[in-house]
């Protein structure tokens, strides 16, 4: 489970992430456009972004007409998101999915998490998937790395000590293996590329 040192790191580097906010929003716009043939988010009314960081994905989802909520455990990141998203009507909360989120079962049509899962250990990923499924009415979307590696990402993830190297091989299977009280979390799981090095791993609560 991420510890206080982990969040202290993200609080410290939040200003650096903030420099790339506009570029991140533009990238997420492209991602949502590419994904629309498989999963058009504009068909849905509400969404939650788990680990929203600086708010870039929240902004892109808001542009698609959804009611957007974001949660972020690192206070430094959350403050940046609050600044970046001011006036957009996007609700932001300090919360950690591994400790349970303050939302009702099935409260959101879609629940996203972006570039968080690969940094967790398998047991914590399963906790994340179960909590996301609990509050999702239709689908859980894991936006994260795929098998197309780059030397820079390989070096950074090795330095960070993340579970990236296992995750990129097992992500879809982990969603299929997700269980809550012995029942499968998801009726159907699919994965597809949304960028050169990024996939959507989608767990459908209702079969899609």
């Amino acid at each position: 489970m991420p510890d206080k040192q982990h969040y202290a790191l993200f609080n410290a580097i939040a200003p650096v992430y903030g420099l790339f906010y506009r570029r991140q929003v533009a990238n997420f716009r492209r991602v949502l456009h590419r994904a629309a043939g498989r999963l058009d988010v504009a068909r849905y009314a509400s969404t939650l972004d788990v680990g929203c960081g600086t708010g870039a994905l929240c902004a892109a989802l808001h542009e698609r007409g959804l009611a957007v909520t974001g949660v972020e455990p690192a206070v430094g990141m959350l403050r940046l998101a609050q600044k970046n998203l001011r006036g957009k009507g996007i609700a932001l909360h300090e919360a950690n999915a591994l400790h349970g989120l303050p939302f009702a079962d099935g409260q959101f049509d879609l629940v996203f998490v972006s570039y968080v899962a690969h940094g967790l250990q398998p047991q914590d990923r399963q906790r994340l998937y179960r909590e996301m499924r609990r509050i999702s009415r239709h689908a859980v979307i894991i936006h994260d790395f795929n098998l197309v590696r780059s030397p820079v990402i390989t070096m950074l993830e090795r330095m960070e000590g993340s579970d990236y190297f296992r995750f990129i091989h097992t992500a879809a299977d982990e969603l299929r293996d997700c269980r809550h009280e012995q029942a499968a979390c998801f009726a159907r799981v699919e994965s597809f590329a949304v960028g050169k090095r990024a996939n959507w791993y989608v767990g459908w609560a209702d079969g899609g």
Side-chain angles (χ1 to χ4, degrees):
M1 181 187 303
D3 55 20
K4 291 182 179 179
Q5 282 189 321
H6 179 91
Y7 296 125
L9 171 63
F10 278 95
N11 286 329
I13 64 177
V16 177
Y17 272 75
L19 296 175
F20 299 97
Y21 172 73
R22 293 184 184 278
R23 184 181 300 178
Q24 290 170 340
V25 174
N27 180 63
F28 280 125
R29 286 183 187 128
R30 289 191 291 270
V31 165
L32 294 175
H33 177 74
R34 290 188 192 113
R38 301 285 294 269
L39 198 170
D40 184 2
V41 300
R43 294 175 48 207
Y44 300 90
S46 63
T47 187
L48 174 71
D49 181 11
V50 176
C52 65
T54 62
L57 177 55
C58 288
L61 290 166
H62 179 263
E63 290 175 357
R64 290 269 169 161
L66 288 90
V68 180
T69 300
V71 296
E72 171 58 50
V75 175
M77 289 288 191
L78 184 63
R79 287 174 181 158
L80 272 178
Q82 290 168 336
K83 178 182 177 181
N84 290 332
L85 301 174
R86 187 175 294 127
K88 294 183 182 296
I90 296 173
L92 297 170
H93 305 272
E94 182 184 350
N96 186 333
L98 299 186
H99 299 162
L101 295 172
F103 306 114
D105 294 358
Q107 183 167 335
F108 301 95
D109 289 337
L110 306 175
V111 180
F112 278 85
V113 65
S114 174
Y115 292 118
V116 170
H118 76 272
L120 302 175
Q121 292 303 305
Q123 65 273 20
D124 284 336
R125 285 200 292 272
Q126 289 298 320
R127 292 171 65 184
L128 173 68
Y129 302 153
R130 286 194 295 270
E131 182 64 359
M132 291 176 70
R133 169 63 186 90
R134 180 185 70 79
I135 58 178
S136 173
R137 189 175 302 117
H138 295 293
V140 164
I141 301 104
I142 315 298
H143 176 103
D144 218 306
F145 294 115
N146 60 25
L147 285 167
V148 183
R149 288 166 50 179
S150 77
V152 172
I153 292 172
T154 295
M155 178 185 68
L156 291 175
E157 296 301 328
R158 202 176 296 279
M159 290 173 59
E160 185 180 320
S162 75
D163 203 41
Y164 163 80
F165 301 97
R166 173 165 39 193
F167 171 83
I168 58 177
H169 292 279
T170 63
D173 287 337
E174 287 180 357
L175 285 177
R176 293 187 185 97
D177 291 342
C178 178
R179 294 288 184 276
H180 177 66
E181 296 180 351
Q182 306 307 313
C185 294
F186 304 106
R188 181 169 67 88
V189 172
E190 63 177 324
S191 65
F192 51 90
V194 292
K196 183 177 181 181
R197 294 186 176 88
N199 270 22
W200 275 12
Y201 305 95
V202 183
W204 289 97
D206 55 5

